[in-house]
Amino acid sequence: MKRSRDRAASELFAALYPRLAGWCRQLVDDETAHEIASEAFTRLWARWTSVEEPRGFLYVTAANLVRDHWRKLERERRAVRRAGTEAAVRPHAEQDDPSVRLLVQSLPQRLRVPILLHYYADMPIREVSALTGRKEGTVKADLHAARELLRVHLRRSLDHTR
């Protein structure tokens, strides 16, 4: 039993780790992406017998870890600003950077998770619906609302840089 469990976990890791780490690399730096992907697999392994959909579990867990990483970075940025050394760390203000990552980060979690899963993890709406426990229509509405917010933020960012 243990051998088949170990083999199944090993095969799952070989099949999904490269894509999961690649997805994370779109959102964070390379080293952090690998740490997040590894942590997602560690958490999956801890719950191996109770997880029905490992791929979905991995991506939702990774999305939450990315969010936590972004929050940590924001806390560090605020601390640096308070210390008065921001100019040495970041040469321009965050609102001047229309980075999609920063814009996605600014979305409420209710909208951010479907965006990450659908557009970054390339999951169909049906799968996002199943993973988040929301109806497909709700996921579609959340994706629409998120795109509208991103459009507004991007326009504002671009107008600000002109």
Side-chain angles (χ1 to χ4, degrees):
M1 173 76 178
K2 183 170 175 5
R3 263 189 199 180
S4 64
R5 179 183 162 205
D6 289 349
R7 186 173 54 205
S10 180
E11 288 171 1
L12 184 72
F13 183 84
L16 295 180
Y17 183 85
R19 187 163 182 201
L20 181 65
W23 176 71
C24 291
R25 260 194 309 277
Q26 295 176 43
L27 304 168
V28 296
D29 65 87
D30 190 54
E31 181 179 341
T32 304
H34 285 286
E35 289 173 8
I36 287 173
S38 296
E39 179 64 21
F41 270 96
T42 300
R43 291 181 184 192
L44 172 63
W45 183 247
R47 294 166 187 80
W48 184 252
T49 57
S50 64
V51 174
E52 291 183 32
E53 175 50 55
R55 180 175 179 256
F57 178 89
L58 288 168
Y59 277 92
V60 169
T61 300
N64 289 334
L65 291 169
V66 165
R67 181 196 68 230
D68 293 346
H69 176 73
W70 288 347
R71 285 181 177 163
K72 179 184 173 204
L73 288 178
E74 185 53 36
R75 285 191 303 271
E76 290 170 354
R77 286 184 190 122
R78 281 195 299 261
V80 168
R81 275 197 296 272
R82 281 192 298 269
T85 59
E86 181 182 13
V89 175
R90 284 187 343 188
H92 61 279
E94 186 172 303
Q95 65 266 20
D96 291 343
D97 181 5
S99 159
V100 174
R101 183 190 64 78
L102 292 174
L103 296 177
V104 170
Q105 177 185 353
S106 74
L107 292 171
Q109 180 174 350
R110 177 182 67 82
L111 302 177
R112 185 182 327 114
V113 170
I115 286 285
L116 291 172
L117 294 175
H118 183 64
Y119 290 108
Y120 286 88
D122 201 28
M123 291 184 183
I125 289 173
R126 175 182 22 76
E127 197 169 343
V128 174
S129 169
L131 291 174
T132 60
R134 299 181 194 148
K135 294 180 180 179
E136 286 186 33
T138 303
V139 171
K140 289 177 184 178
D142 287 347
L143 288 170
H144 175 76
R147 285 190 307 267
E148 289 302 311
L149 278 174
L150 290 171
R151 186 175 293 122
V152 166
H153 289 310
L154 185 57
R155 251 191 218 119
R156 198 175 303 143
S157 294
L158 292 175
D159 288 345
H160 183 73
T161 59
R162 291 180 186 170

